[in-house]
Amino acid sequence: MPDKSPDVDRGILVFAIWAVFGFLGLGLFLEGMARDVWGLAAAGVAVVIVAFIGHIIVNGIFDTGFAPGETALGIGTYGLLGLLFVLGALRGGMTTSDFHAGLTFFGVLAAGFLAYLFTRHGLRGAFSRFHVPRDAPHGRSAR
């Protein structure tokens, strides 16, 4: 039976990083939205970015990338929050500070995601992660 200790250690580290920095950043962001203070919300975004960078460092230490479940959770959460932000903006109950805080959050996370892809896979490799050639059978790449 193979030793699962590195996977367990990595999982605990990632969980601890997101439990501390992720929830702290979320709390600061929500407090900034509640008090209508963009600077506080932006500080929350900065702490979430610290959690993301910590996750990348742990991936580098354990010589791994993001697990498929982590990727699905991250992209799904980003999409759901984006939908809620758009619906909130369309409803019209957002203050200017809330709107700017949301744009800061989504803009910084999108830029960070692209920066991660470009530094991890290069410009061409990042594009090939999403591009599927037309001649590929059943949506699979012909590599």
Side-chain angles (χ1 to χ4, degrees), residues 11 28 30 38 41 43 47 75 83 85-86 92 104-107 110-111 116 118 120 123 140 142:
L28 287 171
L30 292 176
W38 177 82
V47 175
I75 292 173
L83 176 67
F85 176 73
V86 169
T104 300
F105 182 75
F106 292 111
Y116 167 76
F118 294 156
R120 173 96 173 154
L123 219 48
R140 295 191 179 161

Side-chain angles (χ1 to χ4, degrees), residues 50-88:
V50 167
F52 185 65
I53 290 170
H55 193 151
I56 292 171
I57 290 170
V58 168
N59 286 348
I61 290 170
F62 285 90
D63 195 29
T64 184
F66 289 99
E70 294 168 348
T71 304
L73 178 64
I75 292 173
T77 302
Y78 184 83
L80 178 64
L81 290 174
L83 176 67
L84 292 174
F85 176 73
V86 169
L87 291 175

Side-chain angles (χ1 to χ4, degrees), residues 7-79:
D7 290 336
V8 171
D9 293 345
R10 181 192 170 278
I12 290 171
L13 279 171
V14 168
F15 181 80
I17 286 169
W18 282 106
V20 173
F21 292 109
F23 283 123
L24 177 63
L26 177 63
L28 287 171
F29 181 77
L30 292 176
E31 189 67 22
M33 297 279 279
R35 293 182 186 263
D36 212 21
V37 178
W38 177 82
L40 192 56
V45 172
V47 175
V48 169
I49 295 302
V50 167
F52 185 65
I53 290 170
H55 193 151
I56 292 171
I57 290 170
V58 168
N59 286 348
I61 290 170
F62 285 90
D63 195 29
T64 184
F66 289 99
E70 294 168 348
T71 304
L73 178 64
I75 292 173
T77 302
Y78 184 83

